[in-house]
Structure formats: structure tokens, C-alpha cells
């Protein structure tokens, strides 16, 4: 996925680094503007607020369950049979490295990145809706 200026807005990571160490997050936001904006949401209690919303709102809860299932399938596909140092345990992680029991979202950046990569993810879409503007008026990689 690319930003409004054609630059990479996120990356897709292998579930294992070359030495076999698990890498729990599949999608990473790379746009400096989005990283900073989502960090501000987290600093303002966004992880706790969105975790609670994902537990109490049926639509968000269902969206998260579907995204976690999709994330597990993506991780297995990216691993291409490799199981790394953990014997494949991290392939069962959902969005943002979440275990099988949902709980806290842990990282809004991971949920936003998943939503950018998979636009049907409602929880991530709503998190991104709090980023105003989604893209800056000028590319964040340009020098001032």
C-alpha cells in the first residue's frame, strides 16, 4: 500500500527473521505522518479505549476475530513451511501479535496497518478514522 504521494505507507514482514527468531507483527506502518499520528492516539489512551470498544461492540469484535483469523493464514503463507525457533507457535498470533484470546489490542499501529493492507477490517478502519488528516498536505519524506 502506498500513501497519497506514492511512497510506501506500510510493509509486510515475514513471521521470522533470518535467524529464525519470531517477528510477531506482519504489517508495519512506515509513513512518518501516520506513525506519529497513531502514536499520539496511543499516548492519549487509545489502546485501552479501542480494546474496550472491540470487546463491547459486536461489529468490532467480529471484525477483530475475522482479521485475526486472516492474519494467521497470512503468517502461515508467508512462513512457507518454516517454523522458526518457536516451532511455529507465533504463526498462531493475530493482528499485532495478539494470542488466541483477544484481550488488549497492544498496538494501534498494527491494527491500522492491517486495515490499510486489508480495507475490510472495520476496527482498523475506525482507528484510522481518528487520524486527521490521514495523509499530510505534503509528503513527510520531503525535506522542509
Amino acid at each position: 500500500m502506498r500513501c497519497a504521494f506514492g511512497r510506501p505507507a506500510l510493509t509486510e514482514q515475514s513471521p521470522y527473521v533470518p535467524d529464525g527468531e519470531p517477528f510477531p507483527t506482519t504489517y508495519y506502518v512506515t509513513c512518518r505522518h501516520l506513525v506519529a499520528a497513531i502514536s499520539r492516539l496511543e499516548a492519549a489512551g487509545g489502546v485501552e479505549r479501542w480494546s474496550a470498544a472491540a470487546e463491547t461492540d459486536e461489529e468490532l469484535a467480529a471484525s477483530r476475530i475475522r482479521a485475526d483469523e486472516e492474519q494467521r493464514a497470512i503468517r502461515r503463507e508467508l512462513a512457507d513451511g518454516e517454523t522458526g525457533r518457536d516451532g511455529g507457535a507465533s504463526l498462531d498470533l493475530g493482528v499485532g501479535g495478539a494470542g488466541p484470546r483477544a484481550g488488549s489490542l497492544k498496538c494501534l499501529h498494527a491494527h491500522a496497518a492491517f486495515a490499510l493492507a486489508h480495507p475490510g477490517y472495520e476496527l482498523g478502519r475506525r482507528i484510522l478514522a481518528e487520524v486527521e488528516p490521514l495523509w499530510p498536505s505534503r509528503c513527510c519524506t520531503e525535506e522542509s
Side-chain angles (χ1 to χ4, degrees), residues 4 40 62 75 87 100 122 143:
R40 286 190 295 275
R75 290 179 66 73
E122 182 61 19
E143 293 187 29

Side-chain angles (χ1 to χ4, degrees), residues 3-7 31-33 136-144:
C3 74
F5 303 96
R7 305 279 184 163
C31 169
R32 292 182 212 165
H33 166 78
S137 58
R138 172 177 173 204
C139 181
C140 59
T141 63
E142 293 176 8
E143 293 187 29
S144 301

Side-chain angles (χ1 to χ4, degrees), residues 41-96:
L41 288 177
E42 287 186 347
V47 171
E48 296 80 10
R49 186 168 46 82
W50 281 108
S51 292
E55 289 185 17
T56 58
D57 181 308
E58 289 182 21
E59 181 183 11
L60 295 181
S63 172
R64 183 174 184 197
I65 289 168
R66 283 189 306 275
D68 282 344
E69 290 170 356
E70 187 174 357
Q71 170 81 355
R72 289 180 190 102
I74 291 166
R75 290 179 66 73
R76 289 187 183 288
E77 183 179 329
L78 289 171
D80 194 30
E82 292 187 38
T83 56
R85 291 185 187 175
D86 66 354
S90 66
L91 298 176
D92 291 328
L93 298 176
V95 177

